[in-house]
Amino acid sequence: MDLNLLRQRSPTRWEITPKGAMRVPAIIYASEPLVRDMDHKVYEQAVNVAALPGIVTASYAMPDAHWGYGFPIGGVAAFDPDAGGVVSAGGVGFDISCGVRCLHTGLRRADVLAVQKELAQALYTRIPAGVGSTGSIHLNDREMDAMLAGGAQWAVARGWGLAEDLERVEEHGQMSGAQPDRVSKQAKKRQRDEMGTLGSGNHYLEVQEVTAVFDGDIASRFGLAQGDIVIMIHCGSRGLGHQIGTEFLKRMAIAAAQHGIALADRELACAPIRSAVGQDYLGAMRAAINCALANRQILTDLVRKVFRDVVPQAQLPLLYDVSHNTCKVETHRVDGGTRELYVHRKGATRAFGPGHPDLPEALRDAGQPVLIGGSMGTGSYVLAGTRESEARAFSSACHGAGRAMSRHQALRTWQGRKVVDDLAARGILIKSPSMRGIAEEAPEAYKDVSAVVDAADAAGLARKVARLEPLVCIKG
Amino acid sequence: MPVQEPHVTAGAASWEHYAHGADIGVRGYASCKADAFVQAALALTAVITDPAEVVARESVAIECEAPDDELLFAEWLNALVYEMATRRMLFGRFAVRLDGRRLSGEAWGEPVDAARHHPAVEVKGATYTTLRVAREGERWVAQTVVDV
């Protein structure tokens, strides 16, 4: 991105002054090297979002922002229904409520190394992953609607998890306002056999070691210490969310014109929050959030069963579960007042600061855990929401490393077998049904996740707590 | 934008992939619009596996419609994504007939065989990013980015 297009307000805050159709500024949070490396499309997309009706304060791009669909991935924008605000399917994305869940294990590195191969094979065998895979749970119409209304609470009630898991999930495991009757038959059909499946692409399940602690006090409150072993699960609402995204993208592209909304890009497809299409989308999108929460809950149960068989001394309580593709109604302080806003986070993580009433009591003083997935060969991070994050970007932070190279280029650069062997030489076991998929997900195809979280920390979006590095990775 | 070497088939029809940050673009060229849609469908399959490895054991009929050519093209790809997902199939051969804003198509393929197809990634849906259906001189191009 050309720095001459931006006004630097601090070492990690860059502003695009309103011009043309922009209603508010666009603000990019990143270090200078990260901004330089960003695609110019991030600039265009942040500017386009700033022109949407009812947007409040600014259109934001997180340190991992890259070219997305209408909104940049790593984009945050809040809309006020009282000001004609809109809801956008492109502002949420196809994989609705894609997110990350982190489980403690009570194990240390040596415990895992003693059974590393056996554990990797058991996880690979028993966690359905990859194209065409199906879960062991097949939902009839009635159970499908119950799942879409109940989310992780539904899953726990059916025996896939523990009641104490729920306070460690955003929305306490159940997104309110879900309307299963707004979800099409096609979307439900696509999900019927996909509960408890990991998916493919950048989705994964990893066994990780805490290799560095940056804030001992918060790490302690999160129950993390150097050398601890944790599990990280990255996946979303599977076929149901993808189908809802597809269907509403088309409906909103047509609806926007009917409501007189001029779109700079068809992918910005949106509808007024207070319109039939807008309300239909919110009902369906919230049901998809519940689908993702239920899916990660079922995967948690599968992981616990594997550990019970392979490492019986392990205990797997939930640290936290975050979603990074959502639109949620939240109350925020704006210009000295309080407003109820529809906050879109597309490849961005909610990052409530200390004291927020939605956080579980045990974590409330520390701030919300913000779980950042890296690539399979590098590392992941746990951050914590900050008090100042609300004023920075409606309590939002980055979500991952972001790709540095296209899948096509990665495929031409690396061979899957060599990636597996190189990582094995570093003590990291990768299991996947597709060597081509591994090549496309090669560690070097991603940006430096450390630079991303350093920028998020420096910008005050979230505070760096701990670094995690993989020992086992299951890829779809 | 970097592109893959075009895959040329009969009648100078071809397909290719092009780069999009996190995802991948699919593009078909042909002497008529319907065949450009067919070529782009081959590019869609090639995101997942080698289309030549997919045996045409059974066929699936596809019907869709949309207000314009570009939305119709996205609808065609999304219909294929839906059929692949719900039938757990891959497709390696396609036919398309266009009648104004309506499309009647057919896709031939077989159930996913992970050991033989080594599927790299599942496609979530066709986006409207770089969506374009247009005539370029003597040939038609149909393209968009698919989310994986």
Side-chain angles (χ1 to χ4, degrees):
Chain A
M1 188 181 294
D2 181 357
L3 298 187
N4 293 319
L5 297 169
L6 312 172
R7 297 180 74 175
Q8 185 170 12
R9 299 295 193 184
S10 82
T12 52
R13 182 181 166 107
W14 307 76
E15 186 175 312
I16 303 167
T17 307
K19 62 180 180 181
M22 289 173 73
R23 298 166 194 259
V24 293
I27 293 170
I28 299 169
Y29 288 106
S31 61
E32 184 174 323
L34 286 173
V35 176
R36 283 189 191 281
D37 282 350
M38 278 182 192
D39 195 309
H40 181 70
K41 289 287 182 184
V42 174
Y43 174 92
E44 290 178 11
Q45 293 187 323
V47 164
N48 289 341
V49 171
L52 291 175
I55 188 166
V56 175
T57 308
S59 154
Y60 298 100
M62 300 289 107
D64 51 339
H66 51 284
W67 182 18
Y69 311 115
F71 282 52
I73 296 167
V76 176
F79 297 86
D80 185 346
D82 291 336
V86 296
V87 59
S88 169
V92 172
F94 280 83
D95 196 357
I96 297 167
S97 198
C98 182
V100 180
R101 168 173 286 223
C102 186
L103 301 159
H104 299 287
T105 65
L107 301 175
R108 306 285 290 176
R109 179 183 177 86
D111 301 319
V112 169
L113 293 184
V115 293
Q116 190 180 12
K117 285 185 180 172
E118 185 186 352
L119 183 61
Q121 186 59 40
L123 288 167
Y124 179 58
T125 305
R126 290 163 64 177
I127 307 292
V131 178
S133 63
T134 57
S136 58
I137 299 162
H138 309 285
L139 301 182
N140 60 28
D141 291 347
R142 189 172 165 180
E143 278 300 288
M144 177 68 72
D145 284 356
M147 180 273 290
L148 294 174
Q153 291 189 13
W154 166 86
V156 168
R158 297 296 184 278
W160 294 300
L162 309 169
E164 53 265 39
D165 292 341
L166 296 172
E167 69 165 9
R168 298 296 185 115
V169 183
E170 288 183 358
E171 318 303 332
H172 304 281
Q174 181 188 38
M175 186 72 221
S176 62
Q179 293 179 282
D181 62 342
R182 297 294 187 271
V183 178
S184 70
K185 286 180 181 173
Q186 288 81 1
K188 291 175 181 175
K189 184 177 177 184
R190 206 164 153 180
Q191 189 61 26
R192 200 167 300 279
D193 302 321
E194 291 199 352
M195 295 309 297
T197 62
L198 193 59
S200 65
N202 65 352
H203 293 162
Y204 60 80
L205 184 154
E206 285 190 345
V207 180
Q208 303 172 333
E209 178 187 4
V210 179
T211 56
V213 169
F214 308 103
D215 186 317
D217 178 46
I218 297 179
S220 173
R221 291 165 193 257
F222 286 176
L224 296 172
Q226 185 141 352
D228 282 356
I229 298 297
V230 299
I231 312 294
M232 200 174 264
I233 300 169
H234 177 216
C235 70
S237 52
R238 309 292 298 114
L240 181 127
H242 308 166
Q243 189 67 24
I244 290 170
T246 297
E247 292 168 0
F248 277 93
L249 190 62
K250 182 184 177 191
R251 278 184 69 183
M252 286 183 169
I254 296 167
Q258 291 169 346
H259 287 281
I261 301 170
L263 299 177
D265 174 354
R266 260 182 165 169
E267 201 80 30
L268 285 165
C270 60
I273 292 163
R274 290 182 182 145
S275 68
V277 177
Q279 289 297 307
D280 283 353
Y281 177 69
L282 286 166
M285 184 268 299
R286 289 165 178 158
I289 289 177
N290 280 332
C291 179
L293 300 182
N295 194 46
R296 290 198 287 274
Q297 187 64 45
I298 293 168
L299 287 168
T300 297
D301 187 64
L302 293 173
V303 171
R304 284 174 173 155
K305 286 172 176 160
V306 169
F307 271 75
R308 191 180 61 202
D309 292 347
V310 179
V311 206
Q313 73 270 32
Q315 298 290 321
L316 275 64
L318 182 55
L319 168 56
Y320 208 65
D321 179 303
V322 300
S323 297
H324 47 230
N325 285 353
T326 59
C327 172
K328 291 185 176 178
V329 181
E330 295 172 6
T331 302
H332 287 282
R333 288 186 294 276
V334 179
D335 300 331
T338 299
R339 291 163 79 175
E340 195 169 77
L341 303 174
Y342 287 66
V343 182
H344 293 63
R345 294 187 182 90
K346 164 83 171 291
T349 311
R350 194 188 76 178
F352 284 159
H356 196 285
D358 284 1
L359 297 179
E361 198 175 330
L363 301 176
R364 196 166 295 154
D365 289 347
Q368 182 201 304
V370 176
L371 308 173
I372 307 299
S375 70
M376 58 192 171
T378 56
S380 300
Y381 282 86
V382 178
L383 286 69
T386 62
R387 288 192 196 282
E388 61 265 37
S389 182
E390 181 175 42
R392 297 281 192 277
F394 299 111
S395 300
S396 308
C398 51
H399 86 307
R403 286 192 80 91
M405 183 186 289
S406 72
R407 291 179 176 278
H408 176 63
Q409 195 178 346
L411 195 56
R412 295 212 301 196
T413 308
W414 293 289
Q415 290 184 322
R417 185 71 254 169
K418 186 165 189 322
V419 172
V420 170
D421 291 344
D422 288 350
L423 290 171
R426 291 169 43 201
I428 303 167
L429 298 186
I430 307 292
K431 293 281 186 181
S432 170
S434 172
M435 284 297 146
R436 176 178 156 184
I438 287 175
E440 292 183 4
E441 290 289 318
E444 294 83 356
Y446 282 83
K447 291 180 193 167
D448 177 5
V449 68
S450 298
V452 168
V453 298
D454 284 346
D457 185 297
L461 300 173
R463 185 168 174 74
K464 217 163 67 164
V465 176
R467 176 180 168 88
L468 316 170
E469 294 182 26
L471 292 170
V472 172
C473 175
I474 310 300
K475 298 283 287 185
Chain B
M1 220 177 276
V3 297
Q4 185 173 313
E5 292 296 312
H7 296 254
V8 179
T9 54
S14 64
W15 60 265
E16 64 191 10
H17 291 152
Y18 58 96
H20 171 275
D23 297 300
I24 194 159
V26 297
R27 181 182 290 142
Y29 294 107
S31 57
C32 70
K33 192 166 39 178
D35 286 348
F37 281 30
V38 165
Q39 291 299 314
L42 286 166
L44 175 71
T45 295
V47 170
I48 308 163
T49 191
D50 181 354
E53 293 296 319
V54 181
V55 180
R57 295 187 201 281
E58 53 186 292
S59 71
V60 175
I62 289 173
E63 306 278 337
C64 45
E65 60 181 289
D68 60 54
D69 281 350
E70 290 178 345
L71 288 181
L72 186 61
F73 174 60
E75 283 291 288
W76 158 242
L77 295 183
N78 277 322
L80 293 171
V81 169
Y82 176 78
E83 296 297 341
M84 283 192 285
T86 54
R87 296 172 187 271
R88 318 267 162 209
M89 285 181 70
L90 293 169
F91 301 119
R93 189 155 69 86
F94 306 89
V96 166
R97 191 173 65 251
L98 296 175
D99 179 10
R101 302 297 177 227
R102 296 177 65 88
L103 180 153
S104 303
E106 201 158 2
W108 288 266
E110 61 175 331
V112 176
D113 179 343
R116 187 158 50 83
H117 296 127
H118 304 289
V121 69
E122 65 186 346
V123 177
K124 296 171 188 169
T127 76
Y128 297 166
T129 297
T130 69
L131 174 61
R132 184 163 172 260
V133 175
R135 185 165 195 150
E136 291 181 345
E138 296 299 306
R139 66 180 184 176
W140 281 85
V141 59
Q143 67 170 47
T144 199
V145 168
V146 296
D147 192 356
V148 299

